[in-house]
Amino acid sequence: PDDFVLSQAYPNPFNPTTTLNFSLPIESEVSLKIYNLQGREVVSLVNEIMNPGYHSVTWNANNQGSGMYFVKIIAGDFVDTHIL
């Protein structure tokens, strides 16, 4: 990949799982976390150094209440947030 990208989750809306895809053009320390509407961290899905390429993570929200959530990625200087 040429750029850092956090793609829109699918399916969205989801019940109870959704897949998060992202791309890294260079090796990066990656943090991928889910937050509730109050801004509290619900789960950390990724917290590691990852190789460049296309990556996919599935979040199973079976033990979470229904509603809206945010997914936030930090990879190097790249930061992006999407609504789930």
Side-chain angles (χ1 to χ4, degrees), residues 6-62:
L6 173 62
S7 300
Q8 200 61 24
Y10 71 90
N12 189 12
F14 63 96
N15 186 18
T17 62
T18 191
T19 301
L20 306 162
N21 294 309
F22 58 96
S23 60
L24 307 172
I26 59 173
E27 181 178 87
S28 305
E29 185 172 341
V30 178
S31 168
L32 184 68
K33 296 181 179 184
I34 306 293
Y35 296 88
N36 64 19
L37 287 177
Q38 289 77 36
R40 293 187 188 100
E41 182 181 321
V42 173
V43 64
S44 176
L45 299 172
V46 176
N47 191 21
E48 62 185 84
I49 295 174
M50 300 184 77
N51 290 325
Y54 298 96
H55 302 275
S56 179
V57 177
T58 300
W59 178 42
N60 185 338
N62 229 1

